Amino acid sequence: MGAPRAYDADEIDDLARRAQAGDRPALEELLTAVRPRALRVCQGVLPHSADAEDACQEALINIAGKIGGWAGRGRFTTWMHAVAVNSARTTYRRMKNQAVPADPQAEGGGRLERPDPRTTSVIAGTRLDLLEAMETLEREHPQLVEPLLLRDVYGLPYDEIARLVDAPLGTVKAQIHHGRRLARPLLRGDDA
């Protein structure tokens, strides 16, 4: 068995259209084709390989279940990218929630402020500050997070992001600019 077959963007778009139409073998082939890309996206957010694998698996399940959400205007891989980013962020949130132990010294078993680095691998990664900043930003400005991650973490062009989030190009540029301005102090730890 050799290396996995490389699919070009047109082949992936064709598989996605067939999968949307209910072609089960096309869906299976599509998931096989996009898995390496989805894994790379997840690894960009979750530096520990087991965590990225979990997020990738969740992304593939979401892609299969939500394939009807791809409108077909842009590339399927761009839509898949957003699904994978969201799956990685969901995996991070789940890990963070599991990693916040009760403080045995506190009255009533209070919760510690930050995750315990001994209980989650994501803490060892370089993306913790970014993920924490995005969590904070999302509470007040959820519309800014996805465009900001797609541009600054994954380097997608503004026009692709605009198609993906279904917003005018000028709006996307403004969201990214505003998101950067709000995220900058969080990334430096100025809010502490």
Side-chain angles (χ1 to χ4, degrees):
M1 199 168 175
R5 176 184 177 310
Y7 292 80
D8 69 27
D10 289 333
E11 290 173 309
I12 289 173
D13 286 354
D14 181 56
L15 284 170
R17 280 190 280 282
R18 289 175 27 217
Q20 276 184 319
D23 182 337
R24 185 76 182 166
L27 176 61
E28 290 174 17
E29 188 175 350
L30 174 67
L31 294 176
T32 300
V34 298
R35 186 185 186 290
R37 291 174 191 237
L39 182 57
R40 278 192 304 275
V41 168
C42 293
Q43 288 169 330
V45 176
L46 299 164
H48 188 267
S49 62
D51 301 337
E53 287 282 348
D54 288 348
C56 179
Q57 191 62 33
E58 182 178 320
L60 294 175
I61 291 167
N62 288 335
I63 289 167
K66 299 176 182 179
I67 194 160
W70 175 55
R73 288 188 311 239
R75 289 289 184 186
F76 179 81
T77 52
T78 303
W79 179 81
M80 178 237 46
H81 208 108
V83 172
V85 166
N86 289 333
S87 295
R89 292 179 62 227
T90 299
T91 298
Y92 167 74
R93 280 189 203 107
R94 185 172 48 250
M95 291 171 56
K96 179 181 167 187
N97 289 337
Q98 292 169 352
V100 180
D103 182 352
Q105 304 295 342
E107 287 273 329
R111 291 170 63 86
L112 296 176
E113 285 287 317
R114 300 202 43 106
D116 182 344
R118 294 165 298 187
T119 60
T120 180
S121 61
V122 77
I123 304 305
T126 58
R127 300 291 182 164
L128 180 63
D129 288 344
L130 173 65
L131 290 167
E132 288 292 326
M134 293 303 101
E135 291 289 306
T136 301
L137 185 60
E138 190 168 40
R139 283 193 284 277
E140 305 246 341
H141 305 283
Q143 76 282 6
L144 304 179
V145 174
E146 186 175 19
L148 185 60
L149 284 172
L150 291 172
R151 178 68 187 158
D152 288 355
V153 175
Y154 297 103
L156 290 182
Y158 289 105
D159 59 334
E160 273 190 55
I161 297 168
R163 277 194 305 275
L164 188 61
V165 300
D166 197 24
L169 182 60
T171 300
V172 167
K173 287 181 176 181
Q175 287 174 328
I176 292 168
H177 175 76
H178 190 55
R180 285 174 177 158
R181 189 173 51 75
L182 293 172
R184 203 168 286 127
L186 298 171
L187 291 169
R188 281 193 235 129
D190 292 353
D191 62 338

